[in-house]
Amino acid sequence: MMAIYLYLSPTLPDTEELKNVELQTPLRVYSADGKLISEFGEKRRTPLTYAETPPEFINALLASEDDGFFEHFGIDLKGLARAVIELIRTGKKKSGGSTITMQVAKNYYLSAEKTFARKFTEILLALKIEQSLSKQEILELYINKIYLGKRAYGIEAAAQVYYGKSIKELNLAQLAMIAGLPQAPSAANPVNNPRRALDRRNYVLARMRTLEMISAEEFDIAARAPITARYHGATSEVLAPYIAEMVRRDMVERYGDDAYTVGYNVYTTIDSSRQVAANKALQAGLLKYDRDHGYRQPKPMAPVTTLEVAENPELEPWLSKADKAHDIDWPQTLEQWHDLLRAQDDMGLIAPAIVLTVESTGAWIFQNNSERWLPFSGMLWAKPYVNVNIIGAEPKQPSDLLSIGQRIWVEETSNGLLLAQMPEVEGSIVSLRPKDGAIQALVGGFSFGSNKFNRAIQADRQPGSAFKPFIYSAALANGFTPASIINDAPVVFEDASLENTWRPQNNSGKFYGPTRLREALYKSQNLVSIRILKQVGASKAVNYIEPFGFPRSKLNADLSLALGASAVTPMELATGYCVLANGGFAVDPYLISRIEDSSGNILFAAKPRTVCLECEKQQSSIAQEQQAASELLEQQLQQQLGLSNPLQAQTEAEQLPAAPRVMDERTHFLMISMLKDVVRRGTGRRALALNRDDLAGKTGTTNDQKDAWFSGFSPDLVTTVWIGFDQPNTLGRWAFGSNTALPVWVDYMGSALNGVPEQPFEQPEGIVSVRIDPETGLLAAPGQSNAIFEYFKEEDVPSQPVKLSLPDNNDGSSNTDLVPEQLF
């Protein structure tokens, strides 16, 4: 023995390292309010301290693995002797006689090979570990390292995997079940082999009773308890798979494969309640569109086992449907169906089911291992799809739609179950905090499980009229006013680079003649947008719009820019709208707020460009002082170097960079005023349902109704909704941003702004309100009955009043409208 020790001792590792060992822990992603979104990593693990471990579990573990743990010095001499005697008598190694300390030595340092050399090394290591660590520290290492099946490493991960709870929430039977897993975690866990797992659990309970760790009554209750374990995937408190994937990619770029194992905790900017609202709003909107366009009547069938086929498989081809329906082996069939439904990914508002029987007033369906009633009233919408503009007749009876064994989707409503289907149409929601670009909610499609393409950040689509506010902003910054008159009349463009002559039209196909700029925006008149862009100049407009957050490479420097023909992502459009919502400042969207290591140390903290009105005021004050008295310049610079630096609106601890202004505050106010009219009286009127006075936005519909948009905001939240097909195709002749995307926006914003007080957009200095003539945009005449109020920059107020119609002159001429219209 001494010779073996002398031979192996130099090769033994330093057991002091165990005190600082880092267990492989998965990457976890959280919302801003600390709710788990997702975790990534091959090994699911949540380390616990000894003090956090329930004493009942410690007892169960010791009873099953090493009841003399607190008495021995690392090895169990009796156990080893028993193993040696068994080996000599049978020639086989039936038990290793390993203590928990020896298993720690093996798990942390050694391979799983079964050789005498490894066993001796394990024994020597166990002795060294006992000298270096306390019994509690050794147990702590064991319970966090041990593999317990289903990718679960450690007892806390096992509790989550098999019961969906913390180890601290489990009862005695459940604790004994986990304590019995180390012997055969893959072959005898309660998911893979419930019968064997039950036997092992009851063995653990019996050992606890023998050792008087539990009473006879506790043993009886626990031993009779049914198996309640089932597989629980990664526990998610907030369904946000597109967000989780965005974070995963970012973390892999930062840290490589270590991102999955080092135990990083990533806290995002996501507001969990807003994310839940966005999920529901988008799915509800897509499902409604899908119902409105008919039922595609999918006919996928679940496997049905008949009694005849079970006994004579060769009869399968000869049995009719009626034969099979009357002789179904229901226990075996339902077991198959249950497994089939459990394997289906979570689809949010709709859930899978299988038809059991079809009756005249509805159908019984199989779902969640039970029978449920689907009434015929929940199927009446399912008129057959003919094409995007036509649907067929209403079904007359349930059998027109359903048959036994058919796999279907159903939606839970307040009126009972509703037949559903996976929509072919797609969409996205992006919701940003305008003061700094923090992503509050994001949904990249109907279901991440069915399609992982993130339309919110990956889909370049034409925004149509939802882009017009940026064209109008450029116009207001270059001499136009909300009262400027532009002729909404036919226009033809001929270009050698175009195959055909371009004749743009309004969506309505009508022309409205001379129109005020404000009115043209809320009516979404295309020809007015083209004329004002031609007047401003496409290149000049691009230069103005790019700082809002649009990649210059995506902006067409031609007149098609006026109609939103430059494809952008929903995220890019929402970023541009942040400028409109926050007072005219450019911000960058961001998702990760901070990254922590497994010990809670902050490795990264976001410092986004943030709107700071106080900074701007103080900067303006500095500029005025510098112009007024040059001798104050040095003093001001010295102040900037100190803690009272006026260029920093944040506290010294925060030190957030100020967002740059890209839109003059007066131009911004005029634009907001016009966009609020889109909601009050234009294409965005559905938003009035929210009963708020601080909402503004713009609808968008592209050619042939291939894309439907609504981008809108309050001072606290910007949200963009896009709906369309992945392969661009018409949504139908009646689909527009106002009736397809806007209802989704209203649904979401109603929840997202619940409890958020209204915040008016403040009128800056240098803006005045005057009465004008609605036909000409000139100052109203005294006493004019149809005059309206309009906002102007002080220097842009019309200088002349309108000249009202007068009686004919003696020469037959008229003095009507002597001031010419502004026609562009």
Side-chain angles (χ1 to χ4, degrees):
M1 179 66 75
M2 180 60 68
I4 295 174
Y5 174 77
L6 293 174
Y7 175 75
L8 294 175
S9 181
T11 65
L12 297 178
D14 183 5
T15 55
E16 286 291 326
E17 295 175 358
L18 284 173
K19 293 183 178 180
N20 301 312
V21 69
E22 290 189 7
L23 298 169
Q24 288 192 18
T25 309
L27 165 67
R28 292 189 174 92
V29 182
Y30 296 92
S31 64
D33 47 344
K35 293 186 177 179
L36 182 65
I37 291 175
S38 187
E39 68 174 33
F40 298 94
E42 181 61 28
K43 296 182 178 181
R44 297 186 60 188
R45 194 195 309 271
T46 305
L48 293 177
T49 64
Y50 179 83
E52 293 172 325
T53 308
E56 295 87 351
F57 177 80
I58 297 294
N59 288 337
L61 181 66
L62 297 183
S64 61
E65 294 293 316
D66 187 359
D67 59 70
F69 174 74
F70 281 101
E71 285 74 42
H72 63 60
F73 52 89
I75 59 174
D76 180 3
L77 294 177
K78 290 182 180 180
L80 284 175
R82 183 171 61 251
V84 171
I85 292 171
E86 287 179 354
L87 176 61
I88 294 172
R89 189 177 67 233
T90 65
K92 297 179 180 179
K93 297 188 287 290
K94 292 188 176 180
S95 63
S98 293
T99 63
I100 284 178
T101 311
M102 291 168 67
Q103 291 184 59
V104 168
K106 181 180 70 174
N107 288 336
Y108 281 89
Y109 290 116
L110 305 174
S111 68
E113 63 176 342
K114 295 184 178 181
T115 64
F116 287 110
R118 198 226 69 189
K119 195 67 176 180
F120 279 119
T121 303
E122 183 181 305
I123 292 170
L124 295 177
L125 265 176
L127 294 173
K128 286 191 70 174
I129 290 171
E130 288 277 347
Q131 294 173 351
S132 302
L133 305 176
S134 69
K135 289 288 187 180
Q136 289 78 10
E137 289 173 325
I138 294 170
L139 267 177
E140 191 174 301
L141 288 169
Y142 180 78
I143 63 175
N144 288 317
K145 177 76 172 181
I146 192 70
Y147 177 59
L148 298 171
K150 298 296 181 186
R151 292 179 50 230
Y153 289 78
I155 62 172
E156 178 67 9
Q160 294 290 351
V161 165
Y162 296 114
Y163 297 104
K165 301 177 181 178
S166 168
I167 192 78
K168 304 167 193 175
E169 302 175 79
L170 303 187
N171 59 38
L172 178 59
Q174 294 166 334
L175 291 172
M177 178 70 78
I178 291 179
L181 289 174
Q183 186 185 69
S186 296
N189 68 63
V191 173
N192 290 356
N193 195 330
R195 181 72 260 172
R196 188 173 168 185
L198 180 64
D199 291 342
R200 179 65 180 168
R201 181 201 73 178
N202 288 347
Y203 164 78
V204 174
L205 291 168
R207 288 283 299 147
M208 294 179 75
R209 177 67 191 121
T210 300
L211 296 171
E212 297 185 347
M213 293 175 172
I214 57 175
S215 67
E217 182 182 3
E218 288 174 320
F219 170 79
D220 289 339
I221 293 173
R224 291 192 180 96
I227 292 180
T228 57
R230 63 180 180 84
Y231 180 72
H232 294 74
T235 303
S236 175
E237 298 174 281
V238 184
L239 183 64
Y242 292 99
I243 290 293
E245 176 60 13
M246 290 169 67
V247 171
R248 185 197 68 79
R249 290 189 178 190
D250 186 288
M251 291 297 289
V252 170
E253 288 181 7
R254 292 173 189 255
Y255 303 109
D257 289 341
D258 284 349
Y260 299 118
T261 59
V262 177
Y264 295 116
N265 294 315
V266 181
Y267 290 86
T268 67
T269 58
I270 295 298
D271 181 298
S272 61
S273 62
R274 286 175 171 173
Q275 181 64 41
V276 170
N279 293 340
K280 291 181 178 178
L282 182 63
Q283 283 206 333
L286 296 180
L287 288 169
K288 181 184 184 304
Y289 171 90
D290 206 54
R291 284 194 300 271
D292 290 344
H293 289 79
Y295 192 52
R296 295 183 297 277
Q297 292 186 294
K299 294 290 185 181
M301 302 300 291
V304 175
T305 301
T306 65
L307 295 171
E308 291 90 340
V309 171
E311 297 171 1
N312 303 289
E314 66 276 5
L315 292 178
E316 167 69 24
W318 307 100
L319 295 175
S320 67
K321 270 189 175 181
D323 292 331
K324 293 179 182 180
H326 286 93
D327 296 300
I328 291 176
D329 184 347
W330 282 112
Q332 185 172 347
T333 296
L334 293 182
E335 185 176 348
Q336 288 179 297
W337 289 4
H338 181 57
D339 292 341
L340 191 66
L341 295 176
R342 282 182 59 189
Q344 177 64 56
D345 290 327
D346 185 357
M347 293 296 175
L349 292 184
I350 63 174
I354 301 174
V355 178
L356 281 168
T357 61
V358 181
E359 300 179 7
S360 60
T361 57
W364 288 101
I365 63 172
F366 183 72
Q367 187 185 50
N368 298 328
N369 214 17
S370 61
E371 296 182 10
R372 303 193 66 191
W373 178 249
L374 173 60
F376 186 45
S377 59
M379 311 178 204
L380 289 176
W381 70 267
K383 303 170 185 177
Y385 171 89
V386 177
N387 61 48
V388 73
N389 294 313
I390 301 174
I391 56 177
E394 189 176 275
K396 295 181 180 179
Q397 55 194 2
S399 58
D400 291 343
L401 302 169
L402 307 178
S403 57
I404 294 175
Q406 185 176 340
R407 297 175 63 181
I408 61 172
W409 295 93
V410 292
E411 180 182 355
E412 196 87 47
T413 73
S414 57
N415 296 320
L417 289 180
L418 185 69
L419 180 65
Q421 63 186 353
M422 278 290 294
E424 292 182 347
V425 69
E426 278 292 354
S428 70
I429 288 183
V430 177
S431 193
L432 306 178
R433 189 168 61 201
K435 74 173 185 179
D436 62 356
I439 300 175
Q440 298 287 277
L442 182 147
V443 189
F446 182 84
S447 167
F448 185 81
S450 61
N451 191 325
K452 295 176 174 53
F453 182 62
N454 189 341
R455 296 153 191 85
I457 61 173
Q458 294 176 309
D460 283 325
R461 305 295 291 239
Q462 294 182 353
S465 296
F467 195 79
K468 287 178 181 175
F470 307 109
I471 303 298
Y472 279 64
S473 296
L476 292 174
N478 285 278
F480 283 77
T481 76
S484 295
I485 301 296
I486 298 89
N487 193 18
D488 184 60
V491 62
V492 177
F493 295 96
E494 294 185 359
D495 191 323
S497 64
L498 300 176
E499 294 183 2
N500 299 309
T501 300
W502 185 35
R503 291 183 173 86
Q505 293 185 330
N506 294 318
N507 286 333
S508 64
K510 300 178 182 178
F511 303 101
Y512 298 93
T515 307
R516 283 178 293 115
L517 199 68
R518 175 184 294 274
E519 188 178 12
L521 181 63
Y522 72 70
K523 288 184 177 179
S524 200
Q525 294 170 214
N526 291 337
L527 299 174
V528 171
S529 299
I530 292 171
R531 280 187 159 87
I532 63 174
L533 180 59
K534 186 177 182 181
Q535 183 76 5
V536 171
S539 295
K540 192 173 185 179
V542 167
N543 290 337
Y544 180 82
I545 294 168
E546 180 190 4
F548 284 47
F550 296 104
R552 190 180 188 89
S553 60
K554 292 187 176 183
L555 300 178
N556 302 335
D558 56 42
L559 295 181
S560 68
L561 185 71
L563 303 186
S566 298
V568 297
T569 66
M571 176 67 79
E572 289 163 348
L573 190 65
T575 302
Y577 270 81
C578 281
V579 177
L580 301 174
N582 66 25
F585 299 88
V587 295
D588 304 306
Y590 72 104
L591 176 60
I592 295 179
S593 176
R594 71 182 188 277
I595 301 171
E596 296 180 357
D597 64 18
S598 58
S599 300
N601 299 311
I602 297 178
L603 305 178
F604 166 81
K607 292 186 177 180
R609 297 194 300 181
T610 303
V611 173
C612 178
L613 295 177
E614 284 302 313
C615 301
E616 188 178 42
K617 291 177 182 178
Q618 292 183 22
Q619 282 180 320
S620 176
S621 175
I622 291 173
Q624 291 174 3
E625 290 177 6
Q626 289 175 337
Q627 291 175 358
S630 60
E631 66 271 13
L632 294 179
L633 176 59
E634 183 177 354
Q635 178 183 349
Q636 291 291 339
L637 291 175
Q638 290 175 351
Q639 289 179 353
Q640 291 179 19
L641 294 174
L643 297 179
S644 60
N645 180 359
L647 297 179
Q648 292 181 332
Q650 315 300 328
T651 66
E652 182 186 9
E654 290 176 331
Q655 297 180 340
L656 296 177
R661 178 175 284 285
V662 295
M663 188 180 195
D664 172 77
E665 60 180 343
R666 296 190 300 165
T667 299
H668 170 263
F669 178 81
L670 295 177
M671 195 68 242
I672 291 298
S673 171
M674 293 167 66
L675 285 173
K676 288 181 71 174
D677 265 4
V678 174
V679 172
R680 290 186 185 125
R681 64 189 73 182
T683 56
R685 281 191 299 271
R686 287 175 186 263
L688 292 173
L690 297 180
N691 196 30
R692 297 178 67 102
D693 192 44
D694 60 348
L695 300 178
K698 186 70 185 74
T699 54
T701 310
T702 59
N703 285 345
D704 298 324
Q705 287 80 35
K706 291 180 180 177
D707 301 273
W709 298 78
F710 188 79
S711 272
F713 54 89
S714 74
D716 299 290
L717 196 64
V718 169
T719 300
T720 292
V721 175
W722 167 82
I723 291 177
F725 292 102
D726 282 340
Q727 297 302 318
N729 205 347
T730 180
L731 291 164
R733 66 167 64 103
W734 308 117
F736 300 96
S738 59
N739 62 11
T740 305
L742 178 53
V744 175
W745 187 91
V746 170
D747 189 2
Y748 166 71
M749 290 291 274
S751 176
L753 294 178
N754 184 32
V756 178
E758 287 189 23
Q759 182 179 338
F761 294 95
E762 295 185 8
Q763 180 174 332
E765 294 182 5
I767 290 288
V768 295
S769 175
V770 299
R771 294 171 71 250
I772 65 166
D773 171 53
E775 301 298 325
T776 65
L778 300 177
L779 291 176
Q784 184 174 343
S785 61
N786 67 336
I788 60 174
F789 280 96
E790 183 56 273
Y791 290 110
F792 295 90
K793 297 175 184 178
E794 284 181 333
E795 65 272 21
D796 291 336
V797 174
S799 58
Q800 294 181 328
V802 64
K803 294 184 179 180
L804 300 179
S805 298
L806 299 174
D808 288 345
N809 295 326
N810 294 332
D811 60 1
S813 63
S814 173
N815 290 326
T816 304
D817 299 337
L818 297 181
V819 179
E821 296 176 350
Q822 304 172 51
L823 299 180
F824 302 113

